[in-house]
Amino acid sequence: MTSTTGRVVAALDGARLWAELHDLAQLGARTDGGVARLTLDDNDIQARLWLAEQAKAIGCQVRVDPIGNMFVHLPGTDPDLPPITTGSHLDSQPTGGKYDGAYGVLAGLAALRAFREAGVQPRHSLEVVSWTNEEGMRFAPGTSGSACFTGVRRKDETRALTDADGISFGEALDACLTRLGEAGIERCPLGTPMQTFIELHIEQGPILERQGAPTGIVTGIQGVGWFECEVRGTANHAGTTPRTARQDALEGACALAAALRNAACDDEDLLRFTIGRFQVFPGSVNTIPERTLFTIDLRHPDAGTLTELEARFQALAAQEWAGCTAALTPLSRIDPVAFPEVVTDVIAEAAAELGQNAPWLVSGAFHDAIHLAGHCPTGMIFIPCKGGISHHPSERIDANDAIEGARLLTATLCRLAM
Amino acid sequence: MTSTTGRVVAALDGARLWAELHDLAQLGARTDGGVARLTLDDNDIQARLWLAEQAKAIGCQVRVDPIGNMFVHLPGTDPDLPPITTGSHLDSQPTGGKYDGAYGVLAGLAALRAFREAGVQPRHSLEVVSWTNEEGMRFAPGTSGSACFTGVRRKDETRALTDADGISFGEALDACLTRLGEAGIERCPLGTPMQTFIELHIEQGPILERQGAPTGIVTGIQGVGWFECEVRGTANHAGTTPRTARQDALEGACALAAALRNAACDDEDLLRFTIGRFQVFPGSVNTIPERTLFTIDLRHPDAGTLTELEARFQALAAQEWAGCTAALTPLSRIDPVAFPEVVTDVIAEAAAELGQNAPWLVSGAFHDAIHLAGHCPTGMIFIPCKGGISHHPSERIDANDAIEGARLLTATLCRLAM
């Protein structure tokens, strides 16, 4: 290990990080042990003020941009260079856990503190960002902060989103910005340049846990296609209609679903095929179903594979299924992102330096990093979570993994910023 | 043809029957051509009063029993013999057709009128009954009148049923009985003896239409078992969970449903297997289903076959399906009824006498006859309906079939009553 990286990583206070994760989880704590810290609600604002206090204690400036993204800034020796930025998000699902998002922000803060403690000032400035509304639960869709920051979505569009009570994102944001202004937090513009963005996050899947690895290097975020499939048959009397006279839309849908599932069954187990919503009409015990409607969530790291499979799906849907017709409609498509080797290699070198077993894996879930990848060289680091469970109060991580992940982030920032 | 049967059948006024079917359909007529004549509503009461008027015009007495079943009585020469009874019901589905139920009552009335016109008084009295609440839509369950008449259900239990507005069957019945009393209709007791009961009805299935037969002889009413099946898996993230780490409750349910369906696939096409309700939880596009709940409606004319198949279903449900567990719960079971040959043979002889191609078939739907079968020798005659469609405004029958069915009923009553 280089002496500088060694000093900074050695200065990382893992116990404090672990304690802070649980302190922060008090803001929006649920009685079931989970967290409900919804975008721009009072808990989210309290979390932002808490973040600002922590930053000031390290002697870092805190700024907020017009969509509410917060940046903790540790100046480098060369003020002309764009910053190396890390971070994630502080909002949660309504029945969320303590670590999804919060871990990446707090580990970034711990890394900045380690630089200060070690008395190391990097060449590039370091920044910790907390992106606004990653989860998209109070205001849908999510990743609002990173999407507006990178120009993927328009600010006025996002401000016009409303929650279930009719409150607009813009109203909620302005109230939050006023509170932050009163606390002396300055404003900064959207879309400022970054040298590199690194997001540290819990995996939300079982791969690292299965491999017994404390950290993982994310090679990219898989692409996703959403589809809706409608199967149309004929409603009829369950007691009087012979099998040979039926066009049963449930029988057809089950057969088509099995064929689609089979088509998406790859040896590498990289394809993710999920039918999550499946509705049968009219839904009466003694009536043969006339219509079944189901969704498909299809993911893969390679855009070509998604496109090929969509064509196979269309060919299957064009067949007759139990005498029924089917129609497959694409609902949305987001292409995969592959993180550049210039970033993943740095993370791999840092992991090797720390002696960590850090396997390469693809992110199955979305992250703000998907938008940042179009803005600057971007990478992600994962740590395992118990049973791959997230978006649930029972979301859990191991303290040692949390510390190893923060060490890998710190070592990576050292390599990128020095 | 015997000269008596020939005279009575010749006196049957088919055109009048056809006209009356459409006159009666005005009571509760829907703008879409269907009928909504719900049990004991004003249209049902009007229909009862209309029936009483028709009966009086023939010179027949009309009586009503304590559950509202109405009996039109044509006296036989031997008043000590129990009557030969025919009939069906005058209530309809909320989006019902013109013929389901009404056809059997009106054809019975036409038969009585033919006896009068031909000047033939049979040895047994003849009766036309209209059973109360066959459909069970305003007050569930249905077949209330025949079930209470035959002692299958208790009158006080049925009176306690309430409709969606909280009105009890008892209240609605008492209001109806008051109206009928004001019209001079006398009361009669429940459970009076019958020599034979014959119900004429539309098939509500496609078999006779497929065979081009104007009438059919019903050998029995198939038995039905209702089941609920629950498949339990594990909810997880659609994007992050590898195929090999999934317990997908929809995948499991589709596989189990296909295996159950396959087990119920008989060469004779007599088994009726229907999954009508199928619900998937949590029903989110990007969450692997953790639970699927579906119903099974299973029918067959043979009780042993139903019992054997239930055992096979239980064995299948005990297996693992896509890593999920399943549980099959019986909800209800009604054993099949086989009509006695002493009745079906008489109908067959009458059909032969009329030169009708009247195939034998099993009723897939319930009818009041299922309860009467425990009270006296019972049989049923079917006529085809277009596309097998019933319980729908588009329910249609052919005028010639309607008349052929009434002729077969009349000839059968002649054979039974003389």
Side-chain angles (χ1 to χ4, degrees):
Chain A
M1 204 180 300
T2 67
S3 61
T4 308
T5 301
R7 274 164 52 209
V8 177
V9 171
L12 184 88
D13 189 343
R16 180 167 175 180
L17 168 59
W18 189 247
E20 280 179 359
L21 276 168
H22 298 92
D23 288 348
L24 181 66
Q26 294 303 309
L27 300 174
R30 294 166 50 92
T31 54
D32 58 12
V35 173
R37 196 162 53 233
L38 297 182
T39 298
L40 299 171
D41 74 357
D42 195 59
N43 289 307
D44 185 23
I45 295 172
Q46 292 299 329
R48 290 158 180 271
L49 292 169
W50 179 90
L51 177 68
E53 269 178 47
Q54 300 298 315
K56 281 176 191 164
I58 317 172
C60 288
Q61 204 189 356
V62 184
R63 286 180 291 200
V64 62
D65 74 13
I67 206 75
N69 300 316
M70 293 189 63
F71 297 88
V72 177
H73 188 85
L74 181 122
T77 54
D78 187 342
D80 293 338
L81 294 177
I84 308 296
T85 305
T86 187
S88 190
H89 59 94
L90 290 178
D91 67 317
S92 83
Q93 293 273 321
T95 55
K98 302 181 182 76
Y99 312 106
D100 176 354
Y103 171 61
V105 177
L106 270 56
L109 211 56
L112 261 54
R113 208 181 278 128
F115 276 89
R116 285 290 203 211
E117 292 290 320
V120 173
Q121 185 178 21
R123 200 156 64 91
H124 284 267
S125 300
L126 291 173
E127 267 184 356
V128 176
V129 61
S130 173
W131 303 109
T132 298
N133 191 36
E134 196 273 344
E135 296 290 358
M137 294 309 287
R138 181 177 173 195
F139 300 103
T143 63
S144 300
S146 54
C148 290
F149 182 86
T150 56
V152 171
R153 276 183 232 142
R154 290 206 339 253
K155 193 183 68 172
D156 56 347
E157 250 174 14
T158 298
R159 287 183 60 91
L161 301 176
T162 52
D163 68 9
D165 297 327
I167 300 170
S168 76
F169 187 102
E171 286 171 74
L173 176 62
D174 291 344
C176 171
L177 292 176
T178 300
R179 296 275 295 278
L180 299 180
E182 288 164 2
I185 297 169
E186 287 182 17
R187 302 289 283 270
C188 62
L190 289 171
T192 49
M194 289 176 183
Q195 181 65 35
T196 310
F197 176 68
I198 305 288
E199 183 166 2
L200 172 61
H201 205 280
I202 63 170
E203 181 198 330
Q204 304 182 264
I207 295 169
L208 295 177
E209 187 186 48
R210 278 180 168 191
Q211 300 192 16
T215 57
I217 302 161
V218 183
T219 56
I221 300 179
Q222 61 189 356
V224 56
W226 278 15
F227 304 89
E228 187 172 73
C229 189
E230 184 179 32
V231 177
R232 284 200 167 271
T234 307
N236 229 322
H237 194 296
T240 60
T241 315
R243 191 179 70 246
T244 47
R246 296 184 177 212
Q247 290 100 36
D248 182 328
L250 174 65
E251 184 182 356
C254 284
L256 174 55
L260 295 168
R261 196 182 292 285
N262 192 47
C265 187
D266 60 333
D267 292 339
E268 308 83 18
D269 199 359
L270 283 178
L271 272 164
R272 303 276 172 268
F273 172 90
T274 305
I275 298 175
R277 193 175 290 161
F278 192 97
Q279 297 163 288
V280 176
F281 305 94
S284 157
V285 179
N286 56 357
T287 303
I288 298 165
E290 71 176 338
R291 184 166 164 256
T292 299
L293 205 59
F294 64 87
T295 58
I296 300 168
D297 177 306
L298 182 71
R299 308 194 191 201
H300 194 271
D302 175 57
T305 303
L306 288 176
T307 303
E308 275 168 38
L309 208 55
E310 181 176 342
R312 290 188 63 189
F313 282 6
Q314 287 291 2
L316 286 167
Q319 297 178 24
E320 196 179 275
W321 297 93
C324 304
T325 57
L328 185 77
T329 310
L331 295 181
S332 68
R333 163 82 181 246
I334 298 175
D335 273 330
V337 161
F339 294 136
E341 283 178 20
V342 65
V343 179
T344 52
D345 284 352
V346 171
I347 303 172
E349 286 156 18
E353 197 173 14
L354 296 174
Q356 285 183 3
N357 163 30
W360 302 69
L361 78 170
V362 172
S363 175
F366 280 178
H367 295 285
D368 290 304
I370 206 166
H371 299 311
L372 271 297
H375 184 66
C376 65
T378 292
M380 288 192 79
I381 300 167
F382 276 169
I383 64 163
C385 59
K386 290 278 168 194
I389 295 163
S390 67
H391 290 191
H392 195 274
S394 65
E395 178 184 288
R396 275 167 58 211
I397 59 174
D398 186 273
N400 286 328
D401 295 340
I403 294 165
E404 288 303 314
R407 292 179 76 223
L408 179 54
L409 175 68
T410 304
T412 302
L413 294 178
C414 275
R415 285 179 169 266
L416 291 167
M418 298 309 289
Chain B
M1 206 179 300
T2 66
S3 61
T4 308
T5 302
R7 274 164 51 210
V8 177
V9 170
L12 185 88
D13 188 343
R16 179 168 175 178
L17 168 60
W18 189 247
E20 281 180 357
L21 277 168
H22 297 91
D23 289 347
L24 181 66
Q26 294 304 308
L27 299 174
R30 296 167 49 92
T31 54
D32 58 12
V35 173
R37 193 162 55 234
L38 297 183
T39 298
L40 300 171
D41 74 357
D42 196 59
N43 288 307
D44 185 22
I45 294 171
Q46 293 299 329
R48 290 160 180 270
L49 293 168
W50 179 91
L51 178 68
E53 270 178 47
Q54 299 299 315
K56 282 176 192 165
I58 316 171
C60 288
Q61 204 189 357
V62 184
R63 287 180 289 199
V64 63
D65 74 12
I67 206 75
N69 300 316
M70 292 188 64
F71 297 87
V72 177
H73 188 86
L74 182 121
T77 54
D78 188 343
D80 294 337
L81 293 178
I84 309 294
T85 305
T86 188
S88 190
H89 59 96
L90 290 178
D91 65 317
S92 82
Q93 293 272 320
T95 56
K98 302 182 181 75
Y99 312 105
D100 175 355
Y103 170 61
V105 177
L106 268 57
L109 212 55
L112 261 54
R113 210 181 277 127
F115 276 89
R116 286 289 201 212
E117 292 290 321
V120 173
Q121 185 179 20
R123 199 157 65 91
H124 286 266
S125 301
L126 290 174
E127 268 185 353
V128 176
V129 61
S130 173
W131 303 110
T132 298
N133 190 35
E134 196 272 345
E135 296 290 359
M137 293 311 284
R138 181 178 173 194
F139 301 103
T143 64
S144 301
S146 54
C148 290
F149 182 86
T150 55
V152 171
R153 276 183 232 142
R154 291 206 339 253
K155 192 183 67 170
D156 55 346
E157 247 174 15
T158 297
R159 288 182 59 90
L161 301 176
T162 53
D163 69 7
D165 297 326
I167 300 170
S168 76
F169 188 101
E171 286 172 74
L173 176 62
D174 291 344
C176 171
L177 291 176
T178 300
R179 296 274 296 276
L180 299 180
E182 287 164 3
I185 296 169
E186 288 183 18
R187 302 289 284 271
C188 62
L190 289 171
T192 49
M194 289 177 182
Q195 181 66 33
T196 309
F197 176 69
I198 305 288
E199 183 166 4
L200 173 60
H201 205 278
I202 63 169
E203 181 199 330
Q204 305 183 263
I207 294 168
L208 294 177
E209 186 185 48
R210 279 181 168 189
Q211 300 192 19
T215 57
I217 302 161
V218 183
T219 56
I221 300 180
Q222 61 189 356
V224 56
W226 278 15
F227 305 89
E228 186 171 74
C229 189
E230 183 180 31
V231 178
R232 285 201 167 270
T234 307
N236 230 321
H237 194 297
T240 60
T241 314
R243 190 179 71 247
T244 47
R246 296 183 177 211
Q247 289 100 38
D248 182 329
L250 174 65
E251 184 181 356
C254 284
L256 173 56
L260 295 167
R261 195 182 294 284
N262 192 48
C265 187
D266 60 332
D267 292 340
E268 308 83 17
D269 199 0
L270 284 177
L271 272 163
R272 304 276 173 266
F273 172 91
T274 305
I275 297 176
R277 192 175 290 161
F278 192 97
Q279 297 164 287
V280 176
F281 305 94
S284 157
V285 180
N286 56 358
T287 303
I288 298 165
E290 71 176 337
R291 185 164 162 256
T292 299
L293 206 59
F294 63 88
T295 57
I296 300 167
D297 176 307
L298 182 72
R299 307 195 192 200
H300 195 270
D302 175 57
T305 303
L306 288 177
T307 303
E308 273 169 39
L309 207 55
E310 181 176 342
R312 287 188 65 190
F313 282 6
Q314 287 292 2
L316 286 168
Q319 296 177 24
E320 195 180 273
W321 297 93
C324 304
T325 58
L328 184 78
T329 310
L331 295 180
S332 68
R333 163 80 182 248
I334 297 175
D335 272 331
V337 161
F339 294 137
E341 282 177 19
V342 64
V343 179
T344 53
D345 283 352
V346 171
I347 303 172
E349 285 156 20
E353 198 173 15
L354 296 174
Q356 285 183 2
N357 164 29
W360 302 69
L361 77 170
V362 172
S363 174
F366 280 178
H367 295 286
D368 290 305
I370 205 166
H371 300 310
L372 270 298
H375 184 67
C376 66
T378 292
M380 288 192 79
I381 299 168
F382 277 168
I383 63 163
C385 58
K386 290 276 170 195
I389 294 164
S390 67
H391 290 191
H392 194 274
S394 65
E395 178 185 289
R396 275 167 57 210
I397 59 175
D398 186 271
N400 286 328
D401 294 339
I403 294 165
E404 288 303 316
R407 293 177 76 223
L408 179 55
L409 174 68
T410 305
T412 301
L413 295 177
C414 274
R415 287 180 169 265
L416 292 166
M418 297 311 288

